[in-house]
């Protein structure tokens, strides 16, 4: 790795600590911290109009259902952690979000909080994506599939190679390769229908991929199933997306019922012009009902029926 790239990644690690608690393993050098502070306008916290901020970032979360809880918290105790923005090169009155989407959405949803607290950084598009990715790795609450989909977005947006994406996300290249294979096999639509599924790790997602490959279930049916389960799951459940994941897995592993032979319509039996009984298929085979007032004929038929059925079976085996 070049010295310049090492310095830039170290600066990004330090930058991610401004407004978020990064683990000790991500602490950069004093020089890197100074570089990060140089990118931010005097480390000052500004109060900005939320409408001045545009968000064109890559989404790293699938579920924003906790925005209302965050809004209530900000209204009660204030916005303790600022967001990070950069100046829009095309409009001096606007800013582009680097990270802090949930906080920005929470402030926008509030009728009590008018301004959002933010730091303003000077950085280009690539550095901004790297800063978002660096801040992403400092968070402990992103699920496996969220990280996998975010890595896919970075790769497809032209951010860099798999090795570069792995470097920024602080994981191995093999981990990125495995995550990408899952993200591509599951697909964006089904992944978002299921949701983040916290606690569902790589092995179970890989098992779902195998089930998808072996099953003939239509993907649209799975999307509809996952969406319905998430909406119908009790609000007391911590993560409805786990229920959606389990429902999809069960559907994929459900063995289809064997096709039964076509049912023949019931047939009316006649003696001359008189209807005397019915022959019809049942779940277990055939049923023969005969009504006759001739007792002698009924006795004779009862004696002959067994031999007649055996003869018919023998003829069936010889057919064709």
């Amino acid at each position: 790795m070049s010295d310049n790239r090492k310095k830039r990644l170290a600066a990004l690690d330090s930058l991610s600590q401004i407004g978020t608690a990064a683990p000790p393993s991500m602490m950069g050098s004093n020089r890197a911290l100074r570089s990060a502070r140089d990118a931010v306008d005097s480390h000052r916290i500004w109060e900005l109009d939320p409408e001045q901020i545009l968000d064109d970032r890559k989404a790293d979360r699938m579920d924003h259902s906790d925005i209302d809880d965050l809004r209530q918290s900000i209204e009660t105790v204030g916005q303790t952690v600022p967001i990070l923005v950069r100046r829009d090169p095309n409009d001096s009155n606007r800013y582009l979000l680097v990270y802090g989407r949930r906080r920005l959405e929470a402030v926008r949803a509030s009728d009590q909080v008018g301004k959002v607290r933010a730091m303003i950084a000077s950085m280009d598009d690539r550095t901004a994506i790297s800063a978002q990715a660096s801040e992403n790795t400092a968070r402990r609450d992103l699920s496996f599939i969220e990280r996998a989909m975010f890595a896919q977005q970075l790769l497809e947006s032209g951010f860099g190679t798999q090795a570069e994406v792995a470097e920024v996300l602080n994981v191995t290249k093999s981990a990125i390769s495995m995550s990408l294979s899952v993200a591509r096999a599951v697909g964006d639509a089904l992944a978002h229908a299921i949701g983040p599924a916290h606690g569902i790790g790589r092995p179970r997602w890989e098992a779902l991929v195998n089930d998808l490959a072996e099953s003939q279930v239509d993907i649209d049916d799975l999307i509809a199933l996952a969406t319905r389960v998430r909406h119908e799951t009790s609000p007391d459940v911590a993560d409805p997306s786990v229920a959606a994941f389990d429902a999809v897995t069960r559907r994929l592993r459900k063995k289809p019922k064997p096709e039964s032979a076509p049912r023949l319509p019931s047939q009316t039996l006649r003696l001359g012009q008189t209807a005397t009984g019915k022959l019809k298929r049942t779940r277990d085979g055939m049923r023969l009902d005969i009504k006759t007032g001739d007792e002698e004929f009924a006795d004779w038929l009862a004696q002959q029926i067994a031999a007649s059925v055996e003869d018919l079976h023998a003829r069936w085996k010889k057919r064709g």
Side-chain angles (χ1 to χ4, degrees):
M1 186 193 309
S2 68
D3 289 340
N4 288 337
R5 184 165 181 77
K6 288 180 179 179
K7 292 175 183 177
R8 184 168 67 84
L9 289 173
L12 291 173
D13 283 345
S14 298
L15 182 60
S16 72
Q17 298 168 44
I18 304 174
T20 186
S25 62
M26 295 188 64
M27 292 294 184
S29 64
N30 290 335
R31 181 176 182 181
L33 183 56
R34 287 195 297 272
S35 298
R37 288 174 176 170
D38 289 342
V40 181
D41 290 353
S42 302
H43 202 184
R44 176 179 174 182
I45 306 299
W46 299 77
E47 291 194 349
L48 303 178
D49 182 345
E51 299 307 314
Q52 288 183 275
I53 302 171
L54 301 179
D55 181 8
D56 60 351
R57 308 176 323 143
K58 302 300 178 186
D60 54 7
R61 286 178 182 263
M62 293 182 176
D63 190 358
H64 289 200
S65 60
D66 59 348
I67 292 297
D68 190 57
D69 292 338
L70 181 57
R71 174 190 60 78
Q72 294 180 28
S73 174
I74 291 176
E75 290 175 350
T76 302
V77 301
Q79 182 192 339
T80 58
V81 180
I83 66 173
L84 182 64
V85 301
R86 60 191 178 105
R87 298 187 185 280
D88 187 342
N90 301 315
D91 188 339
S92 59
N93 292 320
R94 290 202 178 269
Y95 302 89
L96 302 178
L97 182 67
V98 178
Y99 59 72
R101 170 182 281 156
R102 291 171 60 253
R103 280 160 278 169
L104 177 60
E105 288 184 4
V107 172
R108 282 177 171 166
S110 174
D111 56 6
Q112 300 180 30
V113 182
K115 302 289 186 180
V116 61
R117 301 177 72 240
M119 296 177 295
I120 303 174
S122 299
M123 56 180 66
D124 58 20
D125 292 346
R126 184 177 177 83
T127 306
I129 294 177
S130 297
Q132 179 194 356
S134 183
E135 191 264 353
N136 180 354
T137 61
R139 292 208 305 261
R140 300 302 189 193
D141 59 343
L142 287 186
S143 67
F144 167 80
I145 195 63
E146 284 179 312
R147 293 180 185 275
M149 301 299 289
F150 183 53
Q152 183 183 28
Q153 288 186 73
L154 289 179
L155 192 66
E156 293 180 351
S157 69
F159 174 82
T161 63
Q162 285 192 25
E164 290 172 320
V165 171
E167 188 177 348
V168 170
L169 294 181
N170 197 31
V171 296
T172 64
K173 183 180 177 181
S174 61
I176 286 293
S177 297
M178 289 185 288
S179 297
L180 289 172
S181 66
V182 170
R184 288 165 178 160
V186 173
D188 185 76
L190 180 56
H192 279 84
I194 293 174
H198 293 282
I200 305 296
R202 178 174 60 84
R204 292 189 64 188
W205 278 102
E206 288 182 334
L208 184 140
V209 168
N210 292 334
D211 292 337
L212 281 170
E214 296 175 1
S215 173
Q216 300 298 318
V217 179
D218 186 83
I219 193 70
D220 290 335
D221 292 342
L222 295 176
I223 292 170
L225 171 63
T227 302
R228 185 178 72 254
V229 169
R230 289 188 69 186
H231 288 166
E232 294 178 352
T233 300
S234 169
D236 296 333
V237 176
D239 190 354
S241 61
V242 172
F245 178 94
D246 290 339
V248 169
T249 297
R250 287 193 299 270
R251 178 67 181 86
L252 288 171
R253 295 180 180 179
K254 184 178 181 181
K255 295 182 179 180
K257 294 181 179 179
E259 294 186 5
S260 58
R263 294 289 178 88
L264 296 176
S266 61
Q267 301 178 50
T268 300
L269 302 180
R270 296 180 179 276
L271 292 177
Q273 300 298 318
T274 304
T276 189
K278 281 190 176 182
L279 177 67
K280 62 181 178 180
R281 285 289 303 271
T282 66
R283 180 178 298 178
D284 299 323
M286 302 280 293
R287 179 174 176 174
L288 174 62
D289 292 320
I290 297 179
K291 295 180 181 180
T292 176
D294 190 336
E295 295 293 334
E296 291 185 3
F297 173 66
D299 290 341
W300 180 84
L301 186 60
Q303 296 172 4
Q304 301 296 320
I305 193 70
S308 298
V309 170
E310 186 175 347
D311 179 61
L312 289 171
H313 183 260
R315 289 164 57 188
W316 172 78
K317 292 181 68 174
K318 294 178 180 179
R319 74 194 190 288

